[in-house]
Amino acid sequence: EEEKNKYIRGKELGEGTYAIVYEGRLRADPTQLVAIKKIKVQKEYSDGIAPDAVREIKFLQELRHANIVRLHSVYSTRDQNLCLVLEHLPRGDLEMLIRDTAAVRYGAADIKAWMGMLCRAVAFCHDRAVLHRDIKPNNLLVAADGELKLADFGLARSCADPYRPMTANVITRWYRPPELLFGARHYTGGVDVWSVGLVFAELIIRNPYLPGNTEVEQIGLICRALGTPTEENWPGVTRLDSYTVPTDRVYPVAGRENFLGPFGTVGSDGVDLLMKTLVLDPRRRITSRAMLSHAWWHAEPRPTPIQDLPRRN
Ligand code: ADP
């Protein structure tokens, strides 16, 4: 209630699927810019935001890291909309850099720098039992100094509470791991690691790696590219609620040779790390912590210093 009076709302910065984002200034010091993200509340739920949701999101205010978009404040408005006051990051996102093939050139050292920032952010969250659950290039914002910042914890919540069943309907389809596509209700940081792997692949090929148009097609793409999940490579998978795989054939689990062609520009260590993030069985997938101690970070080339990273004009 008094939280919202701390900010002066300015012009609209952009509109997304679930939110409108405005520029804002701190009333006490108008030189301080923020972004105010007003979450659109669906009419059907117009009795308002569950106090729960506000409490849950407030928890994210504690999550402070150089590579995570700072959440300054959360409040609900009189008309029952939820407003998030965020760090102001007007330089676009990683998706814009990946897509702008005409103007933006980047190489293995730049990919290593961006991936390092992403992996540190994710490991930091996982250490605190927070899953992001919607990692994709469009949720990685670029700060003025070149720092990459993980944004949009709209779906994030603590996985520390074992009594709340988690919904499987999270994560934009292309970045969604097989356990969620199969309807697993108990999942781990592995869901984020899979998404990180797909961001890694996309940075390299500059195209979405597994762009399924439907969930069924998404599963088909995963099977063809990475292998058909079976009891042999993923014990228990066939018991998941929505386990269905293409029946025309059982695709073998992809080996190193399948990755070296399309992804070889990041070197054999890079390919090794990529393969470990895209392991079908979430229990055998690398953890975000283990990603940080991988040999790739120490292999040549060294990551580009952030101030030298390519940017859009
Ligand atoms: P989407 O993820 O679909 O782009 P968002 O609701 O996250 O939608 O954001 C909508 C737009 O608002 C973005 O495209 C961007 O232009 C702008 N925006 C989002 N977050 C920030 C921020 N922290 N600082 C500045 N602009 C932002």
Side-chain angles (χ1 to χ4, degrees), residues 5-278:
N5 296 322
K6 283 195 197 160
Y7 307 96
I8 308 163
R9 199 164 88 182
K11 65 168 196 259
E12 189 182 314
L13 289 174
E15 186 164 353
T17 331
Y18 304 105
I20 304 177
V21 181
Y22 302 91
E23 190 175 270
R25 287 171 190 280
L26 203 58
R27 198 175 292 278
D29 176 5
T31 62
Q32 297 293 309
L33 281 172
V34 293
I36 301 176
K37 184 167 185 170
K38 188 170 160 184
I39 312 290
K40 297 176 197 163
V41 177
Q42 241 91 52
K43 273 278 181 289
E44 305 92 88
Y45 308 107
S46 58
D47 34 304
I49 315 278
D52 243 51
V54 178
R55 222 171 300 128
E56 197 167 275
I57 293 168
K58 275 196 169 291
F59 166 78
L60 299 171
Q61 286 179 253
E62 318 294 315
L63 220 54
R64 295 183 192 180
H65 186 272
N67 302 111
I68 295 175
V69 176
R70 216 10 242 295
L71 176 62
H72 294 297
S73 174
V74 183
Y75 56 82
S76 52
T77 58
R78 198 189 304 277
D79 56 337
Q80 298 295 345
N81 278 307
L82 185 66
C83 286
L84 309 181
V85 182
L86 300 159
E87 183 177 358
H88 187 251
L89 297 163
R91 290 255 174 154
D93 57 50
L94 196 62
E95 186 185 20
M96 295 172 176
L97 287 168
I98 292 172
R99 297 282 171 270
D100 194 354
T101 48
V104 179
R105 294 285 150 89
Y106 63 77
D110 306 314
I111 293 175
K112 194 175 288 184
W114 285 321
M115 283 300 295
M117 293 187 269
L118 170 56
C119 289
R120 288 194 291 278
V122 175
F124 180 86
C125 294
H126 288 181
D127 285 351
R128 286 153 187 79
V130 174
L131 305 186
H132 186 282
R133 310 199 303 170
D134 197 19
I135 296 171
K136 53 184 171 179
N138 158 271
N139 273 342
L140 290 160
L141 302 183
V142 182
D145 60 1
E147 205 85 60
L148 200 66
K149 306 217 176 206
L150 185 52
D152 239 333
F153 279 82
L155 300 166
R157 65 173 202 81
S158 170
C159 62
D161 180 355
Y163 299 105
R164 269 179 67 179
M166 296 192 268
T167 156
N169 190 25
V170 296
I171 310 194
T172 309
R173 191 186 315 111
W174 300 346
Y175 307 90
R176 206 179 292 167
E179 63 270 30
L180 291 186
L181 291 164
F182 292 151
R185 283 161 20 93
H186 299 280
Y187 51 85
T188 64
V191 298
D192 286 335
V193 170
W194 179 275
S195 308
V196 166
L198 285 164
V199 171
F200 190 12
E202 185 165 336
L203 274 167
I204 302 168
I205 60 179
R206 295 192 80 156
N207 266 310
Y209 179 42
L210 303 172
N213 289 313
T214 62
E215 292 204 9
V216 170
E217 201 182 305
Q218 193 64 37
I219 293 169
L221 288 175
I222 291 172
C223 293
R224 244 161 287 144
L226 302 166
T228 303
T230 62
E231 285 295 323
E232 283 67 55
N233 58 42
W234 180 351
V237 68
T238 59
R239 289 195 302 274
L240 292 175
D241 282 350
S242 3
Y243 174 77
T244 34
V245 291
T247 48
D248 53 323
R249 60 173 285 210
V250 175
Y251 296 91
V253 172
R256 174 172 306 273
E257 64 285 358
N258 303 95
F259 285 88
L260 281 171
F263 303 112
T265 50
V266 290
S268 60
D269 286 316
V271 165
D272 184 79
L273 180 57
L274 176 64
M275 286 179 66
K276 287 176 168 151
T277 63
L278 297 180

